[in-house]
Each structure stands twice: as structure tokens, then as C-alpha cells.
Amino acid sequence: MVCSVTAYGQKKNKKKEQATSVKQTPAPKPTKKSPFKKYSELVTEEAITDEGLFQVHSVGGKYYYEIPFDLLNADMLLVSRISKIAAGLGGGYMNAGSKSNEQVVRWSRVQNNIHLRSISFTNVASDSLPIQLSVQANNYDPILAAFKIEGFNPDSTAALIEVSDLFLSDNPALSGLSDNMRKTYKVRNLDRSRSFISRMASFPQNIEVRHDMTYNATAPPSNSRTGTISMEMSQSMYLLPETPMQPRLYDERVGWFTIRQIDYGSEALKSDVKSYIRRWRLEPKDPEAYARGELVEPVKPIVYYLDPATPEKWRPYFRQGIEDWQVAFEAAGFKNAIVAKDAPTKEEDPDWSPEDARYSTVRYVASTTRNAVGPSVSDPRSGEIIESDIIWYHNHLRSYRNRYMLETGAANPSARTLDTPEEEIGEMMRRVISHEVGHALGLPHNMKASYAYPTDSLRSATFTQKWGLAATIMDYTRYNYVAQPGDEGVRWVRMLGPYDEYAINWGYRYLPDANSAEEEKATLDSWIREKAGDPKYLFGGGNSFDPSSQTESVGDDPVKASRYGLANLKIVAPNLAKWTATPGDNYADLEELYGELIGVWTRFAGHVITNVGGVYEELKTTDQAGATYTPIAKSEQLESMKFLNEDVFTTPDWLLQKEILDNLEPTKAIQAIENMQSRLLSSLLRKDRLERMIENEALNGAEAYSMTAMLSDLRKGLWSELSGAKDIDAFRRNLQRAHVERLAALMKQDERRRSDVSAAARAELKAIQASSRAASSRYRAGIVQFHLRDIDALIDTLLSAE
């Protein structure tokens, strides 16, 4: 450790001495007072001291860090969390334990001060290269705080600074309030008189601080009459490894969360963007046994503690959900790589805290939010995951109960109740925890995994019990909505699959012979090539144009799967009132589930819409055969349009259950159905979808399903009543108006750059106008005739304005 100290010389005054007749006596030199206090003056007998990474001292309301000189300029990860939160803060997706910031910091000495800097590793270059000087000069790290050195320890190996102000001032880098929240809640300032440090503890690798922050706010999220927002913040400062873990280069063909660096030392003719996967550091205890192919325990396993607030009856399922990943790690050569433990009691470990950076926790949060998340904290130098906290929100149970009833109730008798059997709810929770742990291990969503399995195979007990519902738990394939009444023994709930083992092996397999990320690349690439062409091992994060990479879908045929799903919903709908009835209760459950029923059907229909103008994406490197992007076959798109015209854009009589509608607020259900159909129509007529169809026709000619053909097929379906002067009910009239408005919107979107989209939209409007004008005279005076004449006038107005 080398500390640079700037020395200042004093210039001697060379003015000529003035003559004087009086002999002058020189004044005595003043004794120079040291700027530092003695250690005993700072750390008095009343001091409360805690030894660890730094010694921390509490003396008379002041807090001191005793920073060893050998830890100056060491990389430390500072994680800021809200450990106690005001009700409603953040709109429901923030909770006790939510992370507000993470950053690498360094302590450094500058003359008689200690500076705390926030360090970025986004722009890098090797220390041995000249360009590193420029990287440093153009990426000057900000100073978060500066502290006067108050004194030194007795052997002068550490400096003492008072850190109270760091935690009692409104430092944005440590705050739990974002700029947006400050605006929303009209926060004026931090009230220091109501802010205080409640805990400061030092451990061998980390320092933990808890401090209460109270803000004056005009519009707080709760307790509005107080004009106050109070929260307890947790600051965990963790010493990062002196030697970072060897990073592993990211490959987009296998899904991983990443860190990103811009390397200015690259030999390329530009800076080189490098992405490394985020993963835990797993190294075998017995490298020789590992090399022989034996299962070996890691030096440091991944340990998750269960929040003491977790209800006892759910704890076994949470443990299972965590340890389900042991099988995947066995594929990577490790046994017992991930384990679940109960948090120690206060008697066992009074210092244990879920906010402590040393511990990863599954947090059980008392919140009405229906969700679960799996965030983690990683070393930005290498991607090494340091710790994570899985968040389970209490009311998420209700979401899974509801979906279980709606999506499986037709064929699954145990789902036909508001009181889902505890064992089945537990199984759902187990799989949600597994999904979130997957995120915390580094895996993002893989929406392509559900497309790996044939749709009809999901009706097979043998297949689903062995393979599950999708090739990974990281897909959003929650339930088997394909299975039909009579399909005995099928699996209803998702589970881990072959892709999970593949991805964990790819990311965590220990490669001792590779001394750099670049040396690993050939081996990692070979593993991908071994699985090439097998849909179980493809990755797709989900996008708007690929029907094989959709959320909430199951099977490899969206039309067939949605037909099966619709058949089941037509059984659920007439039974919904009976299944949700509780003597003595009102119809709130029925209203909630009916709204979600419409939402489920919307998703099924949306999967089919993606086929229209759809393009398959299969990520490849330049040395792999085949195309990355392949348009959906014309025949599949035609079948999809047929389904949409017959089952989506017709009036859904099966949803109009009298027993339901008679007990809901008037017009509420009708509006929900109208809104659903209008949203689906707008999705079908998205400009980017139409542009893909134009490009497909330009490249593939008659083999493509053209935009004009699709618009024509849609018009013939939506306005089919006009050819025979059939009645047009309220739902269809609403949808027809929405059709006209959406076509007009397409013309307006295209104003700046006229294209085939605006031309086709104009032609469709004129065709609708001509048909409506001709048909209106065939209807008697009444709402249908009024509707058609209104359409005629509306199109006139839209075209003239355009």
C-alpha cells in the first residue's frame, strides 16, 4: 500500500531588511498544534466498540470508523436496502428488503482526509496498456463523501473518521427515495432531528449499518396527515475478493443475466463490448475427484435462509423449491451445491439479519402485491453473485389459486374451489420459489421452452409427469390448460426441465484448464453445438413477433393450444358462480375471477395473433447453418386468421353467463368484453406487424401471406353481417367502430413517412364505407341502420381530416 502525500514548500521572504536604531528581540516561535486528537480522546472508556472489517466505535452519540491503511483502495460492495418501509411506498412493488442501490466503493486518503468514492467498471483497459491512462482520465469516479481524519490508532496503522453525517444526511447514493418518488410524494427535505443511527456492527468481511430516515413530505403514500415519510435503511458494505472470480463470456444462445464492460484495450478497431454472465463462485472441494467425473461438494455452497416470518406450513415447500436445483447442479458436477436453512433464532445468533450481505434469504412479505421476484447482487468486475434475496409477496397465493381454477378446473376437480387443497397450493409455491431461485442463479426467462413440446403431448400423463409442461421452469408456463376432461393423471403444474440442467452446466461447470474467459469459449461453444437443432435447448427471451417465444403459452401449436384452452373455458364459465359461492359472502370473488377469466382468454387469443406476420427467431453464430429469422408459413397464418374471425372477433356468448352478469355491476362485464376485443384487434393491426408482412411479401412473393390479403380477410370477417343484412349485436357494433378507428390511427401513424400501410388502411376504410352505405338501406330504421350510417359519416370525416 502506497499513500501519496503532497508536500508544500514555503518560499522565503527576501524583502530587504529595513534599518533601525532599536535592537529587536525575535518573538518566540509558536508551538504547532497537531490537527489530530489522541486515540484515547476519541475512543474513550465509554466507547462501545465492535471489531471486524473495520473497528467501529460509538461514543456519546458519535460513530467512528477505524479504517486500516491496508484496506485503503480495496474494492467494497455497498448495498443499500430499505429494511423497514412506509405503507404504500413505491406503489406495491417495494417492500422491506428492497434494494435501492448497489455500487462498488473505495476508501482513499488524500492528505488529512479520507474520501469515499463510487467506482465504475463499465469502461476498462488492462493496467499494462497506455490507454488505461485515458480510461482513468475520462471516467473520473465521483466522491460520495469526504471525512476529516480525527486521529490514528495507537500503532498508526489505521485512521479514525466520524461517519455519523454519512448516514444522517440526504445522500442520494444511499437513499431509499428515488427522484421519481420524491416528486410523487412531494418530499421537501430530510428532517435530521427525526433521523438517527440505530445499529452499526462490524463483521470479518462486512459492516452493517441501520439508520432511520424521516422526510417532510406534502403527499406521503400513507398516514397523510402526518406529512411524513419514515423508513429504516440498511447499508451493507462487503469486502470483495482481492482476486476477482474468472468471468465467463456471455453467449446469447444460452440465456443468462449479464454484466457489461467496454474494453478499450481490444485489438479491434473500436472499443470492444464484453458481456459476462452473472453466477455464483462454485469451485470443487476435491478438484481431482471432480476431474474424474465424480460429484463433488463446492468449497462454498449457495445457502438460502428462510425468513422467520414464513408461515410454518409453507416452509417445506420453500425448502423444496430451493433444493430442486440440486439436480441441475449435479449436471455441472456439484452435489449439495444449493441448500435451504431456517434462519437462526435470536438466541442462536443475535446479530443475524436478512439485510446482512453475508446471507441470502427467501423473504416472506406481508403485502397485497401479487408477485414474487428473485433479485441478486453481483461483483461488477467479474459477474460473481455475492448474495440474493427472493421475495414472496403474501397475496401471490391468490393469483395462483385463481389461475389454477380457471385454467385447469374443466378437467381437474380439485381446482374447482376457492379452498384449494393445501398440498396443491404448496406445490405451486414450491415451483414459484424454484423459478425465482433460477433468476437468482443468473437465469432470465426462457419463453421458447414451452414450444419445445408437442401440444398434444401435454394431454399425456406419461409425458407430462416425466418432462413437465415446458423444457425449463424459467418459462411462464404455469399450468396445463391443454389437458381435456378425461385426460387422467396429467401434470397440472410446471417443474424443472432439461434446459435447466443444460444451462446450469453451461454456466457453472468448473473448467480448471482455462486461464481466462477467452480460453473457455471453445468448450462452451461446443456444448451449444452438441444440442443444436433440439428445441429443448433453445433460448428465447420473449418478443412481439416470435410465436415460439411467448409468455403464458404451452405447446408448439398456438392455434391448437388455444382451441383446447377455449374448450376448457367454455366449461369453466357456466360453473364459475357455483365454484366461487361462499354462504354469507358477497360476489366479490365471482367478480374478481370473472375478470381474470376474460384475461385468460385474452392471452390465449393473443398467442394466435402472434402467428399473423410472425417470424421465428433462432439465435445463431455466423458459422452455423440456417437462418436466424424465418417467417411463419402462409398456411399457418391463414389458419390463425380463421380462428380469430370465428372464435375471437365473434360475440363470445359463452362469456355472457346470466348467473354471473345478474350479480355484477351493470355494464361492467359488457365493457370488459368490449375492451378485450378492441385490444386484440389493435394488436392484430399493429404497424410493425403489417410492415413485417410487407417485407415478407417483397422477399417471398406468393409464398407469403400478404398484408392486403390479411386486411381483406379481417374485413370480410368483421363485417360479414352486411352481405345478408343479418342483425349486428352491440359487441359487433363496438368492434366495427374500433376497426374503423384503428385503420384511421394507422394512417395517422404513417403521416411522416408515407408507406403501403397508409395506402392499404385508406383502401380498407373506403371499402368499409361502400359496404356500409350500400347495406344501410337494407335494414329497418333502428340502431343497426343508425350504426351503419354513423360509420359512413365517420369515415367521411376521417378521410377528409387525413
Side-chain angles (χ1 to χ4, degrees):
M1 181 67 210
V2 178
C3 297
S4 61
V5 180
T6 306
Y8 294 90
Q10 292 184 347
K11 294 183 179 180
K12 191 174 181 180
N13 192 334
K14 295 185 177 180
K15 287 183 179 180
K16 292 182 179 179
E17 297 180 2
Q18 295 181 352
T20 175
S21 58
V22 179
K23 188 176 181 179
Q24 308 235 348
T25 303
K29 294 182 179 179
T31 303
K32 189 173 182 180
K33 186 178 180 182
S34 171
F36 309 114
K37 294 181 180 179
K38 293 181 180 178
Y39 188 79
S40 59
E41 294 177 319
L42 296 169
V43 184
T44 65
E45 293 181 357
E46 290 76 30
I48 300 173
T49 297
D50 201 10
E51 295 187 4
L53 182 66
F54 301 166
Q55 287 199 58
V56 298
H57 309 282
S58 173
V59 188
K62 294 182 178 181
Y63 290 85
Y64 295 90
Y65 280 177
E66 188 174 317
I67 304 179
F69 292 145
D70 61 4
L71 287 177
L72 291 177
N73 296 313
D75 291 333
M76 301 183 185
L77 191 64
L78 178 59
V79 182
S80 302
R81 286 191 174 90
I82 305 174
S83 51
K84 293 182 181 178
I85 191 168
L89 187 74
Y93 281 91
M94 292 183 69
N95 52 267
S98 286
K99 180 176 64 177
S100 61
N101 195 16
E102 68 176 90
Q103 57 193 316
V104 174
V105 297
R106 288 178 189 157
W107 301 86
S108 60
R109 181 177 179 179
V110 179
Q111 298 177 32
N112 291 335
N113 296 290
I114 297 291
H115 288 176
L116 178 64
R117 287 186 182 271
S118 180
I119 309 299
S120 172
F121 292 91
T122 301
N123 300 293
V124 298
S126 171
D127 290 342
S128 63
L129 297 175
I131 198 171
Q132 169 66 3
L133 297 172
S134 181
V135 170
Q136 290 180 336
N138 288 282
N139 296 275
Y140 196 52
D141 296 310
I143 298 173
L144 296 180
F147 308 87
K148 182 181 72 171
I149 295 177
E150 303 288 344
F152 302 93
N153 66 345
D155 60 2
S156 298
T157 60
L160 273 78
I161 59 171
E162 187 191 346
V163 294
S164 306
D165 282 348
L166 179 63
F167 305 108
L168 296 178
S169 60
D170 195 8
N171 191 325
L174 277 65
S175 174
L177 292 179
S178 65
D179 288 342
N180 188 50
M181 284 192 284
R182 290 170 187 265
K183 292 176 183 176
T184 300
Y185 304 131
K186 299 181 180 179
V187 174
R188 298 192 301 278
N189 62 299
L190 176 73
D191 186 346
R192 182 155 179 155
S193 68
R194 291 183 287 165
S195 301
F196 55 91
I197 298 170
S198 55
R199 179 180 183 237
M200 189 175 286
S202 188
F203 302 94
Q205 295 295 316
N206 59 302
I207 293 176
E208 302 295 323
V209 178
R210 303 290 178 273
H211 55 114
D212 278 51
M213 310 290 281
T214 296
Y215 295 88
N216 292 306
T218 303
S222 55
N223 300 301
S224 58
R225 294 184 67 180
T226 65
T228 294
I229 299 173
S230 289
M231 64 178 69
E232 182 185 73
M233 292 299 300
S234 160
Q235 309 292 343
S236 297
M237 189 175 67
Y238 187 92
L239 179 65
L240 291 173
E242 185 174 352
T243 302
M245 178 186 73
Q246 180 170 296
R248 181 157 292 181
L249 283 165
Y250 169 67
D251 191 308
E252 65 177 356
R253 296 170 293 175
V254 187
W256 283 86
F257 291 127
T258 62
I259 62 165
R260 181 174 174 271
Q261 294 180 352
I262 301 175
D263 185 359
Y264 286 90
S266 170
E267 292 297 324
L269 298 180
K270 61 179 180 63
S271 57
D272 191 4
V273 177
K274 292 182 178 179
S275 294
Y276 300 108
I277 69 172
R278 297 178 61 204
R279 58 183 181 144
W280 299 78
R281 185 189 293 226
L282 289 187
E283 298 168 343
K285 280 184 179 178
D286 186 341
E288 294 180 358
Y290 187 89
R292 292 194 299 268
E294 299 176 26
L295 290 180
V296 175
E297 291 188 344
V299 173
K300 184 179 179 182
I302 303 165
V303 179
Y304 276 96
Y305 291 91
L306 301 188
D307 189 339
T310 308
E312 288 286 347
K313 64 180 179 179
W314 303 133
R315 292 186 183 192
Y317 301 106
F318 278 30
R319 291 190 193 96
Q320 284 180 305
I322 295 165
E323 295 184 350
D324 278 341
W325 285 96
Q326 287 186 356
V327 173
F329 278 106
E330 287 173 5
F334 293 101
K335 67 178 180 181
N336 301 322
I338 182 168
V339 295
K341 294 182 178 181
D342 286 328
T345 63
K346 287 292 183 185
E347 292 73 25
E348 292 169 333
D349 185 353
D351 291 322
W352 190 91
S353 168
E355 285 83 35
D356 191 325
R358 293 174 297 166
Y359 307 120
S360 295
T361 312
V362 178
R363 303 288 296 266
Y364 196 100
V365 177
S367 168
T368 58
T369 299
R370 296 188 186 184
N371 200 11
V373 294
S376 61
V377 172
S378 61
D379 183 345
R381 305 171 304 173
S382 65
E384 178 185 356
I385 296 175
I386 303 299
E387 64 90 33
S388 85
D389 288 293
I390 310 300
I391 309 296
W392 173 276
Y393 297 93
H394 177 71
N395 274 23
H396 205 31
L397 287 169
R398 192 177 183 92
S399 298
Y400 276 81
R401 179 205 67 182
N402 291 1
R403 293 279 297 275
Y404 193 52
M405 176 190 290
L406 298 172
E407 296 187 24
T408 77
N412 178 12
S414 65
R416 301 167 186 167
T417 174
L418 295 176
D419 298 318
T420 310
E422 183 177 305
E423 184 178 347
E424 294 178 42
I425 283 287
E427 172 68 6
M428 299 173 211
M429 297 178 77
R430 168 187 176 181
R431 302 304 175 175
V432 176
I433 293 298
S434 285
H435 178 93
E436 302 307 337
V437 169
H439 285 320
L441 295 175
L443 302 180
H445 292 133
N446 180 5
M447 300 307 181
K448 221 171 193 49
S450 54
Y451 213 76
Y453 295 163
T455 299
D456 279 322
S457 293
L458 299 173
R459 299 186 61 186
S460 164
T462 304
F463 183 90
T464 56
Q465 294 299 343
K466 179 180 180 179
W467 296 100
L469 310 184
T472 174
I473 193 110
M474 303 313 297
D475 202 328
Y476 267 179
T477 304
R478 292 183 172 91
Y479 296 114
N480 185 352
Y481 61 77
V482 161
Q484 300 294 291
D487 294 344
E488 299 293 337
V490 296
R491 183 171 184 83
W492 301 112
V493 182
R494 60 184 169 172
M495 60 186 243
L496 269 74
Y499 176 87
D500 298 310
E501 296 182 19
Y502 163 70
I504 291 296
N505 178 70
W506 192 92
Y508 282 95
R509 170 69 62 172
Y510 184 64
L511 300 174
D513 296 330
N515 296 313
S516 68
E518 287 71 20
E519 288 185 18
E520 294 183 340
K521 194 172 181 180
T523 299
L524 298 174
D525 183 65
S526 70
W527 293 344
I528 297 174
R529 289 176 178 276
E530 286 174 8
K531 305 297 185 183
D534 190 331
K536 294 193 297 295
Y537 303 104
L538 295 179
F539 173 74
N543 54 48
S544 63
F545 58 79
D546 184 354
S548 70
S549 187
Q550 300 192 78
T551 63
E552 314 285 355
S553 63
V554 296
D556 65 350
D557 186 335
V559 175
K560 182 181 284 188
S562 293
R563 282 202 172 108
Y564 281 137
L566 175 59
N568 283 334
L569 293 181
K570 287 182 176 179
I571 296 172
V572 171
N575 286 288
L576 198 59
K578 179 175 64 177
W579 293 350
T580 59
T582 302
D585 281 359
N586 59 21
Y587 289 96
D589 285 318
L590 176 62
E591 182 175 349
E592 178 181 314
L593 276 149
Y594 184 69
E596 291 191 27
L597 174 66
I598 294 172
V600 168
W601 171 229
T602 302
R603 283 192 292 273
F604 293 172
H607 297 154
V608 178
I609 287 174
T610 308
N611 267 355
V612 181
V615 178
Y616 292 124
E617 178 186 61
E618 184 175 343
L619 301 171
K620 296 176 182 287
T621 53
T622 56
D623 54 345
Q624 284 183 290
T628 302
Y629 297 101
T630 307
I632 308 300
K634 181 178 180 178
S635 59
E636 292 182 51
Q637 296 192 56
L638 286 168
E639 179 66 15
S640 299
M641 275 304 300
K642 184 174 182 290
F643 176 84
L644 294 172
N645 274 327
E646 291 179 354
D647 292 300
V648 177
F649 296 138
T650 52
T651 298
D653 294 323
W654 59 275
L655 278 172
L656 304 177
Q657 299 293 324
K658 181 174 174 56
E659 190 175 1
I660 295 176
L661 301 184
D662 284 350
N663 293 296
L664 299 186
E665 183 180 331
T667 76
K668 192 167 186 177
I670 306 298
Q671 289 175 354
I673 294 171
E674 290 177 345
N675 291 339
M676 172 197 71
Q677 290 187 315
S678 295
R679 287 197 305 272
L680 291 169
L681 179 64
S682 292
S683 176
L684 179 64
L685 294 178
R686 280 177 49 161
K687 188 181 178 187
D688 61 336
R689 188 186 314 281
L690 302 180
E691 289 173 336
R692 287 196 301 273
M693 299 182 82
I694 293 169
E695 180 172 324
N696 187 19
E697 183 184 14
L699 296 175
N700 297 295
E703 293 181 8
Y705 185 38
S706 69
M707 173 189 66
T708 54
M710 185 275 280
L711 293 175
S712 176
D713 289 342
L714 177 63
R715 171 170 42 83
K716 291 172 183 177
L718 289 180
W719 301 85
S720 60
E721 296 90 344
L722 300 188
S723 60
K726 298 174 184 176
D727 184 42
I728 307 175
D729 64 33
F731 294 97
R732 291 283 278 186
R733 295 196 298 271
N734 177 75
L735 195 54
Q736 289 169 355
R737 279 189 289 269
H739 186 207
V740 169
E741 290 166 355
R742 181 59 192 155
L743 290 169
L746 283 171
M747 287 196 306
K748 188 169 185 179
Q749 280 183 344
D750 223 30
E751 282 177 348
R752 293 185 180 179
R753 183 181 64 84
R754 306 295 287 187
S755 75
D756 289 347
V757 172
S758 59
R762 175 186 286 273
E764 285 298 307
L765 285 172
K766 284 184 171 292
I768 292 167
Q769 184 180 44
S771 298
S772 301
R773 185 175 293 171
S776 63
S777 61
R778 297 197 294 269
Y779 288 87
R780 294 179 180 179
I783 190 60
V784 174
Q785 186 186 75
F786 301 157
H787 163 67
L788 294 176
R789 290 179 176 175
D790 184 58
I791 290 292
D792 183 3
L794 175 60
I795 293 175
D796 256 344
T797 302
L798 292 171
L799 291 177
S800 61
E802 196 269 342

